[in-house]
Amino acid sequence: MRSRPTSTTPDDRARDLRTAAAGFAAHLSSSPGVVLPPRHRMAVASLARGALLDYGGDGLGACPLGGMYGHVAGLGSRAGGTWDGPAGEEAGECLATIVRSMVNFQGGLDARWYEDAVDAIRTSGVLSDYAEANRCADDGREMDLASRAAFCEVALLASVSHGIHAAFLALGEKVPPLPTPEEMGRAPGPMNLRYSSLLRRVRRDDAVAAAPFFLGRDINRSSPECSKVDTSIWKGMNFNAGTDMPWVCAGFSPYDADFLIRRFLAVYYLSTGEMMLRWDRLDATGRHCPNVSRLDVETVAAAVADAHSCGF
């Protein structure tokens, strides 16, 4: 006799979201960053939650000639979120600009924005601790790779934190808290990976992404930097899946990427197989994650059409 297919109830979904949120808080306070110190990692997670609530709609529209990064930086706190560090701290404003851009200006984020963000990370003091620890402030290649790794840390942490925030707003429930200052005070410091030693090759392919990336075979296993990362993390990243998906760029922040893959994806209707596909427009008649039904797609489409008074 065939067993009946199981279904996931709203209560199951809410429970999974709460579990994922608790896991993220534990991840922040127990997992090391690649190049960012705990204070910056916590600031990114906090900013990602404040940005959406504080955003008032100022500045939306076509990307300005000066580029989206400069536009959002010029808006300051009007673009969402408040930086809790020292007023005018350049590193903090850089992190805030990247997070505000991701949360509120996704339609304007392009290759130019990415390069502007990476350049701001490199020049604003975000990497001051890293440069001092590795004595590499004057090493252009090392600092460039560290800047791109820092961007991955920011992007991954902001995405998860914002996802938790948005999900619980939709549920009408209290948003689970981030770690306390005391808990973050016990968080491990960054690994300060030197990617120029860790990697034999850094790949670039605009057909994949604007950001650089690497595969498993590009890692120098004899480098002392390789032993800083647990071997299970490298295996979990599944680098040999191919180079045709933007996700491969997340390898520059392996612990955060591993958390997203292992602990978070299923909660947001994404299997690991779906995550490895190219990001295309959702086709209600085509292939999509099995957890999303045609009814789900039409329900969302009808709600959007109703909200915007357009036909469906």
Side-chain angles (χ1 to χ4, degrees):
M1 183 176 179
R2 297 179 63 181
S3 61
R4 293 183 178 181
T6 59
S7 60
T8 302
T9 68
D11 287 342
D12 292 334
R13 290 287 185 206
R15 182 198 62 231
D16 291 345
L17 285 166
R18 285 189 288 269
T19 299
F24 179 60
H27 173 76
L28 272 178
S29 61
S30 63
S31 296
V34 177
V35 298
L36 297 182
R39 69 180 187 279
H40 283 164
R41 288 170 61 83
M42 180 64 181
V44 168
S46 180
L47 277 162
R49 299 192 177 184
L52 183 63
L53 282 178
D54 293 347
Y55 180 61
D58 190 5
L60 279 176
C63 181
L65 295 177
M68 184 56 74
Y69 183 90
H71 176 59
V72 177
L75 289 173
S77 61
R78 286 184 296 159
T82 301
W83 166 246
D84 293 330
E89 182 180 347
E90 192 174 356
E93 291 304 319
C94 168
L95 296 175
T97 297
I98 294 173
V99 174
R100 290 163 179 162
S101 299
M102 291 180 60
V103 172
N104 295 316
F105 294 85
Q106 291 184 25
L109 308 189
D110 54 14
R112 175 178 178 174
W113 174 84
Y114 168 71
E115 290 297 338
D116 287 346
V118 168
D119 183 66
I121 288 173
R122 187 167 48 246
T123 60
S124 66
V126 169
L127 298 176
S128 57
D129 291 2
Y130 176 87
E132 182 177 353
N134 285 330
R135 299 180 181 180
C136 60
D138 296 326
D139 187 332
R141 182 171 185 269
E142 190 71 69
M143 293 301 289
D144 178 68
L145 291 174
S147 300
R148 298 177 191 280
F151 176 88
C152 284
E153 277 194 71
V154 173
L156 290 168
L157 292 174
S159 297
V160 174
S161 190
H162 173 58
I164 292 171
H165 184 212
F168 279 87
L169 288 179
L171 289 172
E173 295 187 12
K174 182 179 180 180
V175 180
L178 293 168
T180 65
E182 291 75 19
E183 290 170 331
M184 288 305 296
R186 297 189 293 271
M191 291 181 289
N192 288 323
L193 284 180
R194 295 188 66 122
Y195 277 97
S196 62
S197 171
L198 177 66
L199 301 178
R200 292 192 178 96
R201 175 185 177 186
V202 177
R203 299 171 183 258
R204 288 182 177 275
D205 185 347
D206 290 340
V208 176
F213 60 93
F214 60 92
L215 303 179
R217 59 180 175 273
D218 300 324
I219 298 173
N220 181 4
R221 305 292 176 176
S222 64
S223 168
E225 302 300 302
C226 188
S227 62
K228 292 181 180 180
V229 182
D230 191 275
T231 54
S232 66
I233 299 296
W234 293 130
K235 292 179 181 177
M237 287 296 295
N238 195 19
F239 285 111
N240 294 324
T243 63
D244 61 342
M245 68 287 189
W247 168 251
V248 73
C249 303
F252 275 94
S253 185
Y255 278 89
D256 296 325
D258 180 77
F259 174 82
L260 188 63
I261 290 174
R262 295 177 184 267
R263 304 284 301 278
F264 215 73
L265 290 185
V267 179
Y268 283 82
Y269 298 97
L270 288 170
S271 69
T272 53
E274 291 287 328
M275 191 64 180
M276 297 304 173
L277 298 176
R278 286 186 178 274
W279 288 21
D280 296 320
R281 295 181 64 183
L282 179 61
D283 178 3
T285 64
R287 180 179 181 275
H288 49 71
C289 175
N291 284 332
V292 179
S293 69
R294 173 61 185 253
L295 175 62
D296 295 331
V297 174
E298 292 196 7
T299 300
V300 171
V304 171
D306 181 66
H308 294 278
S309 300
C310 59
F312 170 63

